[in-house]
Amino acid sequence: MVQQVSDSELELMKIVWANGGCVLYAQITEELAKSGRAWQKNTIITLLSRLVEKGLLKTSKIGRRNEYTAIVSESDYQAAQTQTLLNKLYEGNAKGLVATLIQREMLSAKDYEELRKFWEKERDGR
């Protein structure tokens, strides 16, 4: 079971995943700065420590620098969070979720067509 993370923790995980699942602390601060976020060093360290405690990251030393490696892939995290949402809001009923997406126009005709092609490809085992 993958633990849920805060929005700030997720932001750091996205940086790790975007860098191939392994990143140095300096790269994290660089990415945050590029996106216009200037977080304090202590905030970043605290969030990274929480991600390690939650089992999403592991840390190792390279000389004096910390390297953070994702233990959970982005797709596994997304799948776990989707399942949590599905269970929490739709009692595990995926049809209910998809119906909501269609009824509220959160799923475009193009999205629908791409999903249909994906489904057919999966069904046919290609």
Side-chain angles (χ1 to χ4, degrees):
M1 171 100 182
V2 176
Q3 286 197 35
Q4 194 153 354
V5 299
S6 71
D7 290 347
S8 297
E9 291 167 340
L10 182 57
E11 194 168 339
L12 294 181
M13 286 304 300
K14 286 180 178 181
I15 291 171
V16 175
W17 290 322
N19 284 279
C22 191
V23 68
L24 294 170
Y25 173 82
Q27 291 172 287
I28 293 170
T29 57
E30 185 179 308
E31 291 296 322
L32 288 170
K34 276 186 202 173
S35 62
R37 292 176 207 65
W39 292 359
Q40 296 295 317
K41 180 179 180 176
N42 287 345
T43 301
I44 298 168
I45 298 293
T46 298
L47 293 171
L48 290 169
S49 295
R50 286 184 192 158
L51 289 166
V52 169
E53 288 170 16
K54 291 179 179 184
L56 276 82
L57 288 179
K58 67 179 180 177
T59 185
S60 54
K61 285 273 191 198
I62 297 181
R64 296 178 57 173
R65 302 183 301 169
N66 280 334
E67 180 180 61
Y68 296 90
T69 305
I71 295 172
V72 176
S73 71
E74 186 173 20
S75 62
D76 285 346
Y77 182 79
Q78 290 170 337
Q81 292 307 305
T82 301
Q83 187 65 55
T84 298
L85 172 76
L86 196 58
N87 291 341
K88 203 182 281 188
L89 297 180
Y90 296 95
E91 297 177 6
N93 179 355
K95 182 181 172 190
L97 171 61
V98 174
T100 298
L101 294 173
I102 293 169
Q103 290 167 353
R104 299 292 179 154
E105 297 179 1
M106 295 177 202
L107 190 67
S108 70
K110 182 181 175 196
D111 293 334
Y112 175 81
E113 187 58 28
E114 288 175 8
L115 285 168
R116 188 185 62 75
K117 287 177 183 174
F118 174 78
W119 181 264
E120 287 174 0
K121 197 167 147 185
E122 287 296 310
R123 185 189 62 206
D124 295 341
R126 291 186 208 138

